[in-house]
Amino acid sequence: MGSGRLYVAVAAGGFRRYATYRAATAAGVFTNTVFGVILVYTYLALWDEKPHLGGYDQAQAVTYVWLGQALYSTLAIQGGGVEKDLMGRIRTGEIAIDLYRPADLQLWWLASDLGRALFQMLGRGVIPFTFGALVFPMALPGAVTTWAAFLVALLLAMVVSFAIRYLVALSVFWLMDGHGVSQAIMVTGIFFSGMTLPLNAFPGTLGDIVRALPWAAQLQMPADVLMGETDPLGAYAFQAAWAVVLLAAGRLVQSSATRRVVVQGG
C-alpha cells in the first residue's frame, strides 16, 4: 500500500471508530444544542449592553456561538482527541509497537485525528449548527466561495489543533502521566481558542496576545472567514505558519523522546 493510501486508510479507520459511539454522539448533539441556546441568550444580553463588541453585530455573535458548538468536538478544543490514546500508549509502553510500524508516527496520528474530526463535524456539529440557523438570526454567507474558503480554514484549524495536542501528548514520555497536562490543555483550549468569548472582544494588550497565539487559528480564524471579517489568505497564512511551527516542534520533541527516553513497560 502506498504511503498516501495508508494514511487515508488510517483516517477512515478513525472516522469509523468514532462512528460506532452512537449514544455518545446523540448525547453530544443534545448537550451542544442546549449549551448553544444558553450561550446565545447570554451573548444577546451582552451585545445589548455592548453593541458591536469585538466588531460583531448580534447576528454575527449568534453565528459565532453556533459555530463554536459545531466545532467544539471537531477540534477537540477541550481535549479528548487521539492524544488520549497516544498518552495511554506512551504510559504503558505500547508506543514501542507504533515505532516499529513502517509508517511515520506523527502522520499516523494526524491522519487518525483528521478522521475523528471529520466524523465529529458531521455527526455532532451539523445538527446544532442547523438548529441555530433555523431558530436564531445568523450572519451566514450566500456565496459558495465563502463556504469553500471556510472549509479550507477549518482544515487548517484541525491540523493546528492536532499539532498542539500532539505536543501535549509527547510530554508523557517524561511525565509518565497525562492527567495534569490534560487538565492544562482543557483550560487553555477553552480560554485561548475563544470558546468563552470571541478573541476580537479581548481588550488592549491581552487581545493582541491571545489573537497571536496558535489557539486563535482554531475557532476565531474560521469564524472570521465565514462571516467575511478577515481576508481568507491572511487567515490561511496565520494558520499555516502555526501548523508548520507546531508540527516541526512535535518532530523535534518526538525525535528527542524516542532517542533518549526509556519507554515504560517496553
Side-chain angles (χ1 to χ4, degrees), residues 7-18 73-77 79-86 105-121 154-166 218 247:
Y7 297 120
V8 169
V10 172
F15 184 98
R16 288 194 301 270
R17 176 189 173 188
Y18 281 86
S73 294
T74 301
L75 301 177
I77 288 175
V82 297
E83 79 281 356
K84 290 181 65 178
D85 293 334
L86 180 55
L105 183 69
Q106 188 182 52
L107 288 179
W108 178 283
W109 287 99
L110 172 58
S112 181
D113 197 60
L114 289 177
R116 176 207 60 80
L118 179 59
F119 171 76
Q120 295 289 19
M121 181 180 70
L154 179 56
L155 177 60
L156 289 169
M158 291 177 183
V159 176
V160 173
S161 172
F162 164 78
I164 293 171
R165 290 178 286 111
Y166 188 71
Q218 291 182 283
L247 289 173

Side-chain angles (χ1 to χ4, degrees), residues 150-229:
F150 163 73
L151 291 177
V152 174
L154 179 56
L155 177 60
L156 289 169
M158 291 177 183
V159 176
V160 173
S161 172
F162 164 78
I164 293 171
R165 290 178 286 111
Y166 188 71
L167 276 169
V168 170
L170 291 178
S171 69
V172 179
F173 271 109
W174 289 271
L175 299 175
M176 307 306 170
D177 185 86
H179 289 89
V181 290
S182 294
Q183 292 295 315
I185 199 65
M186 178 181 69
V187 174
T188 55
I190 290 294
F191 183 79
F192 289 113
S193 69
M195 275 297 299
T196 305
L197 192 67
L199 300 182
N200 293 345
F202 283 56
T205 302
L206 176 61
D208 294 336
I209 292 173
V210 296
R211 287 189 291 271
L213 294 175
W215 289 275
Q218 291 182 283
L219 177 56
Q220 190 67 59
M221 288 294 106
D224 282 343
V225 169
L226 182 66
M227 294 186 287
E229 289 296 314

Side-chain angles (χ1 to χ4, degrees), residues 60-86:
Q60 289 175 311
V62 170
T63 305
Y64 187 91
V65 168
W66 289 112
L67 186 61
Q69 293 305 303
L71 299 184
Y72 179 78
S73 294
T74 301
L75 301 177
I77 288 175
Q78 199 173 352
V82 297
E83 79 281 356
K84 290 181 65 178
D85 293 334
L86 180 55

Side-chain angles (χ1 to χ4, degrees), residues 86 89-90 93-106 108-109 166 170 173 250-251 253-264 266:
L86 180 55
R89 294 182 72 82
I90 294 171
E94 292 177 289
I95 190 68
I97 298 172
D98 299 339
L99 295 172
Y100 274 110
R101 288 194 182 110
D104 183 87
L105 183 69
Q106 188 182 52
W108 178 283
W109 287 99
Y166 188 71
L170 291 178
F173 271 109
R251 287 276 178 183
V253 175
Q254 173 186 310
S255 177
S256 177
T258 54
R259 280 201 319 266
R260 300 181 183 179
V261 178
V262 175
V263 178
Q264 299 300 305

Side-chain angles (χ1 to χ4, degrees), residues 149 153 156 217 220-222 224-225 230-241:
L156 289 169
Q220 190 67 59
M221 288 294 106
D224 282 343
V225 169
T230 190
D231 174 42
L233 293 180
Y236 299 160
F238 177 82
Q239 292 176 296

